[in-house]
Amino acid sequence: MPYIKLSHQIEKLHNPQRSDAFVKQVRAAVREGDFDAGDLPERFTLPKSFSKRGGGERYSRSVRDMVIDATWR
């Protein structure tokens, strides 16, 4: 059964600034049963850079990686 990692799918995004929205959509789809996936213990850093209001400081966010069943229908 082929599996893909969420972190590998994030690398393929054309617009990295949408990576946080993509992660939210994937997690929602798993909760709703659209496909099977499981959390992995490792984390990865999103390619999107975030900024704090008023300060102009930039930071990155890390999220827990997932393994997704690529054959589930």
Side-chain angles (χ1 to χ4, degrees):
M1 207 179 304
Y3 293 99
I4 53 176
K5 290 176 77 174
L6 179 59
S7 56
H8 293 167
Q9 294 304 112
I10 293 289
E11 292 172 1
K12 296 178 182 180
L13 290 177
H14 295 288
N15 184 357
Q17 287 300 103
R18 300 288 301 152
S19 60
D20 59 330
F22 181 77
V23 169
K24 288 178 187 177
Q25 291 172 348
V26 167
R27 292 196 185 281
V30 170
R31 273 193 307 275
E32 294 170 7
D34 293 340
F35 55 89
D36 285 336
D39 285 327
L40 295 173
E42 63 255 16
R43 299 179 73 81
F44 68 97
T45 303
L46 293 175
K48 178 178 180 174
S49 61
F50 298 87
S51 62
K52 295 184 180 183
R53 290 186 184 186
E57 296 177 41
R58 309 290 290 175
Y59 66 96
S60 59
R61 188 177 296 164
S62 69
V63 295
R64 182 177 273 173
D65 208 350
M66 296 179 82
V67 63
I68 302 166
D69 182 359
T71 62
W72 196 83
R73 304 238 184 257

